[in-house]
Amino acid sequence: MYKQGKLILMHILLAALVSGCWSSREIEDLALYAGLALDSGQPAPTEKNFEAKGATYSKQNKVMVTIQVVPAKSVGDKEEKKQHEAKMPYFNISGSGDSILEIFRQFSIRRDRPIIGHHLKVIVISADLLKKQSIRQLTDFVLRDNDIRPSTMVYISEGPARETLVSGNPGEVPAFHILGMLRNRSRTGKVLQAVTLSRLDGLMHARKSFALQNLVTGGGETELSGAGVIKGSTGQWIGTLSQEDAQCLSWLEKEGGKGVIKTWDEDNEPLTFEIKSMKSKLVSHVEGEKISFQVSLATKGHLIEVWNKQTVPAADNYVKKTEQLIEEKLDKMMRTLIRKLQSDYKADVAGFGNRLAIEHPAVWKTVKDNWDEVFSGTEIEFRYDVNITDFGSFTEEEG
């Protein structure tokens, strides 16, 4: 009887353990937001309607917060749900104020489900807002909130950030789409290494200038286009880098070994070099108080597209001439980037300071607090090695 009672008690305990978490909440009862957009403060249209009817509270409109909730709330039977999600599998809600947490709590008196940030994927901040507020102020709450993962990606938007969370493609969730675009780094160097919340926190604490991937919208689509420059000393947006600038930045940081370099031949016809490998080496030199750098770039690839049909790609003299043209275009691209960083923005977002800190730590200690200004006056020398390995597949036309 004792053994039998012990067995029954064990079965009761096992049944209690496998019945589920006692404090769990069904996903249908939660509003999981996957995207967060921050814009300059102004009441959203719905808020204006509320305020006109006396629904107000004490605040300053410093920031507009838009969250993207996914999946959209289930409606009706399965077939009806499929039709609903095919049209729009998400919904966006916006609010304004001077505290992101307080705005989130305001959403709680407008929705029937509490919002949860466990599955936040992307944060997009408008450049216009970052002219007025520092990125430290704007991310203070999300860095403190334990619900939000440190792997969340951070972007900047040239236009309204909330527009990046709108898609013209039925069935597409913009936050997931933006995150998925990072996979194309295997195709082009114009997609920069993602800046996560954890990495952003380190950059802000070090007061280092850095670049965030820029997003632009148009025609219901979103494109990764260049980068926004954040000044380390202020944490504010100071300018934009073009797509080619972003590509050069990737090469300098050894992050973008793919993509193309397009130039024009002596007849002004385009020719395109497809990069198969891009190796970069950055070396710092210190002579007295003079700091300089040497950048070496070696690339191999295919001459994949030639519009001028009067040329013979396989000829030795043509190969050397074309390699020279590609090298000249590469040099022009790199010098354009460096001019912007040293003269226009006075901000090192390409890792020159990191290299100096590794190779000359004693010197770095004396200049790190004023590095952006010191960097703007350093001399940078470039060396290139362009190697066309083949010409793709082609056939010669018969005469």
Side-chain angles (χ1 to χ4, degrees), residues 251 260-265 271-275 278 299 301-305 318-333 384-389:
W251 295 334
V260 300
I261 300 174
K262 184 194 69 179
T263 188
W264 294 266
D265 63 17
L271 54 88
T272 306
F273 174 77
E274 182 183 22
I275 299 169
M278 174 70 78
T299 180
H302 305 162
L303 187 61
I304 200 70
E305 188 174 8
Y318 179 80
V319 173
K320 293 179 182 178
K321 188 186 298 184
T322 304
E323 288 176 343
Q324 181 63 34
L325 289 172
I326 295 167
E327 182 178 314
E328 290 172 0
K329 176 62 184 292
L330 178 57
D331 181 63
K332 182 179 179 181
M333 291 168 63
Y384 307 99
D385 181 13
V386 177
N387 185 3
I388 297 175
T389 58

Side-chain angles (χ1 to χ4, degrees), residues 187-327:
R187 291 288 186 175
T188 174
K190 295 178 181 179
V191 181
L192 295 176
Q193 180 186 15
V195 175
T196 61
L197 274 178
S198 58
R199 184 181 171 207
L200 177 66
D201 192 29
L203 290 168
M204 291 190 300
H205 274 94
R207 297 179 66 83
K208 289 183 178 180
S209 296
F210 59 93
L212 287 175
Q213 182 80 62
N214 191 53
L215 300 176
V216 297
T217 58
E221 294 188 24
T222 299
E223 179 178 87
L224 302 172
S225 183
V229 178
I230 307 299
K231 185 74 171 178
S233 57
T234 64
Q236 294 181 304
W237 178 90
I238 57 172
T240 300
L241 299 176
S242 70
Q243 292 184 25
E244 287 189 345
D245 294 332
Q247 193 169 21
C248 291
L249 198 59
S250 294
W251 295 334
L252 285 174
E253 295 180 337
K254 300 181 180 180
E255 294 291 343
K258 300 294 180 181
V260 300
I261 300 174
K262 184 194 69 179
T263 188
W264 294 266
D265 63 17
E266 56 192 10
D267 296 325
N268 202 33
E269 293 287 2
L271 54 88
T272 306
F273 174 77
E274 182 183 22
I275 299 169
K276 289 304 178 182
S277 70
M278 174 70 78
K279 295 181 180 180
S280 65
K281 184 178 181 181
L282 178 59
V283 179
S284 62
H285 299 283
V286 176
E287 295 181 9
E289 295 185 355
K290 182 182 177 181
I291 299 172
S292 61
F293 295 91
Q294 182 182 91
V295 178
S296 300
L297 294 172
T299 180
K300 295 181 180 180
H302 305 162
L303 187 61
I304 200 70
E305 188 174 8
V306 178
W307 281 44
N308 193 336
K309 299 307 177 184
Q310 305 303 315
T311 60
V312 182
D316 288 341
N317 62 334
Y318 179 80
V319 173
K320 293 179 182 178
K321 188 186 298 184
T322 304
E323 288 176 343
Q324 181 63 34
L325 289 172
I326 295 167
E327 182 178 314

